[in-house]
Amino acid sequence: MDLTELRYIVVDGPIGVGKTSLARKLAVRLGAELLLEAPADNPFLERFYADPPRHALATQLNFLFQRADQVKRMAQQNLFSRGVVADFLLEKDPLFAALNLSEDELKLYHQIYRFLHPQSPRPDLVIALQASVDTLVDRVRQRGIRYEQRIAPDYLARLTDAYARFFHSFDAAPILFVNTEGLNFVDEPAHLDLLLQRVTRMRGSREFFNVAQDD
């Protein structure tokens, strides 16, 4: 796979896996535009972690509108002429809805989703980050965002499983699954080099990178 031909790269994975940090590093290295989720702009998110049943629907709809608007503006501005690295895949939005909403709320969510009919350009590559639940818990605690400290290990376990099932059936773009257990893209530039080298060796539509096995 030729890095110069990757105009749209998406990095995604469960909370705490490091998708935003990697997206930032990739955008700088590749000279691409950066498209990030903005959880701080969601006024319901902190309330969701304090009382999930009460605030799940408002939180989810806010993220849906935000993500759909970001992707729409990205396409309209033709940012792909320079290249884009994003830390979210629009198609994964229903994953969180199914995880957090009641049956009636989920029906309403899907009605709104179908009405919006959000569509994003096809990524040239999806980098799906993975880590154990214990690692996710440690990383969430280390980054010290106050309201995230309420996230239970059980929720991260269910989220990790939901991501695994989502990517198992996702076939709209090539996927590189990356085990991040032995990787630190923030403090170890060589780890980013290893990842990019692995991307250039991709020939199939679903491949795996584990630094312990690739060394």
Side-chain angles (χ1 to χ4, degrees), residues 156-167:
L156 288 174
R158 291 187 292 117
L159 182 60
T160 299
D161 181 67
Y163 264 102
R165 287 185 279 107
F166 170 78
F167 280 122

Side-chain angles (χ1 to χ4, degrees), residues 31-83:
E33 297 283 347
L34 184 62
L35 185 68
L36 300 178
E37 287 186 313
D41 293 341
N42 189 329
F44 303 101
L45 185 58
E46 184 169 358
R47 282 175 272 180
F48 165 73
Y49 285 125
D51 188 353
R54 183 176 180 182
H55 299 289
L57 180 60
T59 303
Q60 190 61 48
L61 290 179
N62 188 282
F63 272 128
L64 173 61
F65 291 131
Q66 180 192 101
R67 290 164 179 156
D69 184 61
Q70 284 177 289
V71 171
K72 179 180 178 181
R73 287 188 286 109
M74 176 181 64
Q76 290 175 339
Q77 294 170 11
N78 195 28
L79 299 181
F80 297 102
S81 59
R82 181 182 172 188

Side-chain angles (χ1 to χ4, degrees), residues 12-14 17 128-132 136 139 164 177-181 208:
D12 212 331
V17 79
L129 302 184
Q130 302 172 324
S132 69
L136 297 178
R139 291 177 180 174
F177 294 91
V178 178
N179 184 323
T180 66
E181 293 289 343
F208 299 83

Side-chain angles (χ1 to χ4, degrees), residues 60-166:
Q60 190 61 48
L61 290 179
N62 188 282
F63 272 128
L64 173 61
F65 291 131
Q66 180 192 101
R67 290 164 179 156
D69 184 61
Q70 284 177 289
V71 171
K72 179 180 178 181
R73 287 188 286 109
M74 176 181 64
Q76 290 175 339
Q77 294 170 11
N78 195 28
L79 299 181
F80 297 102
S81 59
R82 181 182 172 188
V84 173
V85 177
D87 73 343
F88 67 94
L89 185 68
L90 180 60
E91 289 83 354
K92 68 92 181 279
D93 195 86
L95 176 159
F96 282 90
L99 197 63
N100 294 309
L101 301 183
S102 68
E103 183 177 349
D104 289 340
E105 290 173 336
L106 189 58
K107 289 179 181 178
L108 175 60
Y109 167 86
H110 282 303
Q111 290 175 353
I112 295 172
Y113 191 93
R114 287 192 296 269
F115 178 79
L116 289 177
H117 195 58
Q119 290 183 317
S120 63
R122 179 183 182 272
D124 298 302
L125 174 66
V126 174
I127 300 176
L129 302 184
Q130 302 172 324
S132 69
V133 174
D134 287 342
T135 296
L136 297 178
V137 170
D138 288 341
R139 291 177 180 174
V140 167
R141 288 174 178 168
Q142 287 172 11
R143 68 187 186 185
I145 298 175
R146 179 172 54 83
Y147 57 79
E148 287 187 348
Q149 305 312 304
R150 297 190 179 102
I151 300 177
D154 175 68
Y155 178 76
L156 288 174
R158 291 187 292 117
L159 182 60
T160 299
D161 181 67
Y163 264 102
R165 287 185 279 107
F166 170 78

Side-chain angles (χ1 to χ4, degrees), residues 11-24:
V11 183
D12 212 331
I15 298 166
V17 79
K19 54 183 175 287
T20 301
S21 296
L22 177 56
R24 291 183 186 277

